[in-house]
């Protein structure tokens, strides 16, 4: 079945990427189909439906972003501030360099399609869980708190990055350092409480 041909699917996603990069978040499904040289019903058939196309684009791009963030926050040889700074910088660079794709996935598609919104939420949540696991493994925090911090940090960075894209006049370094300060303060606060409790014991 043609819909299961990975090369064909890849070519269709390439066509979608070109249209979205060119036209922005308002890119139409008709324009994507035309770019691929097919009709809109045939485009949908390759992915099941429009939601399937959206999810395939999200998997292609959001998972790529996650893959590029993973080495930065898992780098044990670097101190927390340095790792946070590197990870956040990589993320902001990626979303600003792919602005139309970011807005298409996080704004247009997620607002238009409830299944897509759930899919995007699951992808972001998986990154929070992974970061929480890293914090727990390194004993930065006990497991439950590590998960809380992991999700909080990911949500904070994603939301702040979204705001920053709407305020290009704000220097990226200022945004990065502000986020890093919050992350370091949250972890240091916990460490300070633990040390205080141990002293009382």
């Amino acid at each position: 079945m043609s819909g299961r041909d990975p090369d064909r699917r890849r070519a269709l996603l390439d066509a979608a990427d070109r249209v979205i990069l060119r036209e922005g978040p308002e890119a139409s499904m008709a324009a994507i189909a035309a770019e691929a040289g097919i009709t809109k019903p045939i485009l949908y058939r390759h992915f099941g439906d429009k939601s399937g196309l959206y999810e395939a684009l999200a998997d292609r791009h959001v998972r790529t972003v996650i893959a590029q963030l993973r080495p930065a926050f898992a780098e044990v040889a670097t101190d927390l501030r340095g790792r946070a700074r590197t990870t956040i910088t990589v993320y902001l660079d990626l979303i600003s360099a792919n602005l139309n794709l970011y807005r298409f996935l996080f704004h247009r598609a997620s607002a238009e399609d409830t299944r897509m919104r759930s899919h995007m939420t699951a992808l972001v949540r998986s990154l929070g869980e992974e970061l929480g696991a890293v914090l727990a493994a390194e004993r930065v925090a006990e497991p439950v708190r590590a998960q809380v911090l992991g999700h909080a940090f990911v949500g904070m960075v994603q939301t702040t990055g979204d705001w920053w894209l709407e305020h290009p006049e704000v220097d990226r370094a200022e945004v990065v350092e502000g986020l890093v300060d919050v992350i370091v303060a949250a972890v240091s606060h916990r460490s300070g409480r633990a040390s205080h409790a141990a002293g009382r014991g």
Side-chain angles (χ1 to χ4, degrees):
M1 183 175 170
S2 60
R4 295 183 180 177
D5 180 349
D7 291 333
R8 185 58 175 152
R9 281 173 62 92
R10 190 178 306 113
L12 294 175
L13 292 174
D14 288 344
D17 284 349
R18 290 193 297 272
V19 174
I20 294 167
L21 288 170
R22 185 171 67 236
E23 300 183 11
E26 300 309 312
S28 70
M29 297 299 105
I32 292 172
E35 180 78 16
I38 57 177
T39 64
K40 193 162 61 171
I42 292 175
L43 173 67
Y44 291 159
R45 193 178 306 152
H46 279 276
F47 298 94
D49 54 17
K50 185 166 64 174
S51 293
L53 172 60
Y54 285 163
E55 289 177 13
L57 284 167
D59 285 343
R60 174 182 249 201
H61 295 291
V62 178
R63 291 187 192 282
T64 296
V65 169
I66 291 173
Q68 293 187 54
L69 293 177
R70 187 175 290 120
F73 69 63
E75 180 52 70
V76 295
T78 308
D79 69 303
L80 177 63
R81 178 173 287 275
R83 289 161 68 185
R85 182 182 294 114
T86 298
T87 304
I88 295 166
T89 299
V90 168
Y91 175 73
L92 294 182
D93 283 350
L94 285 169
I95 64 172
S96 61
N98 299 279
L99 182 57
N100 282 345
L101 277 167
Y102 176 87
R103 286 177 170 162
F104 182 89
L105 292 171
F106 278 91
H107 295 273
R108 157 80 183 281
S110 294
E112 184 180 294
D113 189 284
T114 55
R115 202 172 92 193
M116 173 62 174
R117 185 161 58 248
S118 296
H119 189 66
M120 293 294 283
T121 298
L123 289 174
V124 173
R125 183 177 298 158
S126 72
L127 184 60
E129 290 172 355
E130 188 169 344
L131 179 55
V134 169
L135 296 174
E138 295 180 13
R139 302 185 185 280
V140 172
E142 50 87 18
V144 172
R145 182 175 172 81
Q147 282 295 315
V148 171
L149 292 176
H151 286 87
F153 294 162
V154 168
M156 175 181 68
V157 172
Q158 195 269 322
T159 304
T160 304
D162 200 49
W163 169 84
W164 175 66
L165 291 176
E166 301 298 326
H167 294 84
E169 74 280 3
V170 179
D171 183 63
R172 187 198 64 184
E174 184 176 357
V175 176
V176 171
E177 291 307 313
L179 290 168
V180 169
D181 286 345
V182 174
I183 290 170
V184 172
V187 173
S188 298
H189 175 68
R190 173 61 180 174
S191 299
R193 286 178 57 193
S195 298
H196 181 66
R200 287 190 306 178

